[in-house]
Amino acid sequence: MRIVLMGPPGAGKGTQAARLVETFGMKHLSSGDIFRAEKASGSELGRKLSDIMASGALVPDEIVVEMMAGAIAAVDESAGLMLDGFPRTVAQAEALDTTLKENGTPLDAVVVITADDDEIVGRITGRRACGSCGKGFHVKFMPSGKGDVCDACDGPLTQRDDDREDVVRERLAAYKKQTEPVIAYYRGSGAKVIEVNGSQSPDAVTADMVEALRSLGG
Ligand code: AMP
């Protein structure tokens, strides 16, 4: 199964992506993770990406398309593929169509997780991760049992630069302006677009997605 997973920042894509991999076993490529790894490598490209990402703006299409085409070519997708966070513009979607057509591997579905703006801001600005072991927390929904430090290893809890409220609002604006048209693009091109209500509990979101994706095969 080959799918694109879309949704505004904070709609729960990361959590749901992990669960879909567990259920269907496909390969998962997250553009945000790929860019963060490049940033962590300290390369010149990584420094450029870091500035753009810290502002909440989108990375230019040429860079995204080249990096993602390379990542798709490098994975063994015989068990399927889930693209998460890519494509985020119509130009990226067109480039992806070309790559998939060349490979003879069309998309089976585009899954869109929806959520409203205020809920998203609350979810994202509360996210924390342990700077030592990486364990994830949320100040409201999943606080550390030890307050400001990690309850697994006593490491300091940190917030991603782009999870601050001003940056989250920028990321939401970029989603509405540049990414929502991608959904219309897929609808117009006849792709199967599955919308799932991301304001439900994570388990309910997973159940809806799994049911919709299973029904594709049948
Ligand atoms: P994410 O973790 O998916 O929210 O991505 C974090 C940041 O990486 C975004 O705010 C963008 O700056 C950048 N990014 C990730 N994927 C893309 C993409 N497909 N196109 C442009 N920028 C992207």
Side-chain angles (χ1 to χ4, degrees):
M1 177 191 307
R2 257 179 312 277
I3 62 170
V4 163
L5 183 62
M6 294 181 62
K13 289 197 300 295
T15 305
Q16 299 301 333
R19 292 177 175 195
L20 289 182
V21 168
E22 235 169 68
T23 307
F24 296 105
M26 74 273 268
K27 190 80 197 170
H28 174 205
L29 287 180
S30 149
S31 51
D33 286 352
I34 289 170
F35 296 159
R36 277 185 286 280
E38 187 69 39
K39 182 175 142 181
S41 79
S43 68
E44 195 180 319
L45 173 61
R47 281 195 292 278
K48 189 170 168 188
L49 292 176
S50 171
D51 289 344
I52 299 170
M53 289 163 77
S55 75
L58 292 188
V59 173
D61 286 335
E62 317 80 77
I63 299 179
V64 177
V65 166
E66 191 181 333
M67 286 182 76
M68 293 308 292
I72 293 170
V75 297
D76 170 10
E77 48 163 311
S78 51
L81 180 66
M82 172 174 35
L83 296 169
D84 161 12
F86 170 81
R88 254 181 166 93
T89 65
V90 171
Q92 292 176 21
E94 287 169 347
L96 175 64
D97 273 352
T98 306
T99 304
L100 296 179
K101 208 170 269 168
E102 277 166 14
N103 296 349
T105 52
L107 288 175
D108 294 298
V110 175
V111 180
V112 184
I113 307 178
T114 60
D116 76 54
D117 288 7
D118 288 338
E119 188 172 350
I120 286 171
V121 171
R123 283 187 189 180
I124 300 192
T125 55
R127 294 204 293 216
R128 299 290 181 275
C130 173
S132 301
C133 72
K135 184 173 176 188
F137 298 96
H138 191 285
V139 290
K140 193 161 151 209
F141 307 123
M142 217 201 326
S144 163
K146 292 190 177 172
D148 287 342
V149 296
C150 176
D151 55 16
C153 76
D154 290 332
L157 299 192
T158 58
Q159 183 179 37
R160 246 169 69 176
D161 287 348
D162 58 350
D163 280 353
R164 293 194 332 261
E165 177 159 353
D166 54 335
V167 183
V168 173
R169 298 266 177 208
E170 266 315 309
R171 290 165 67 197
L172 276 172
Y175 182 80
K176 284 187 205 309
K177 188 163 169 235
Q178 290 161 283
T179 307
E180 281 185 351
V182 176
I183 302 170
Y185 166 84
Y186 278 126
R187 284 214 168 91
S189 72
K192 172 88 186 155
V193 176
I194 297 167
E195 261 192 36
V196 178
N197 173 9
S199 300
Q200 312 172 85
S201 71
D203 286 350
V205 176
T206 309
D208 281 0
M209 290 200 312
V210 168
E211 189 191 334
L213 289 171
R214 285 222 164 104
S215 73
L216 284 179

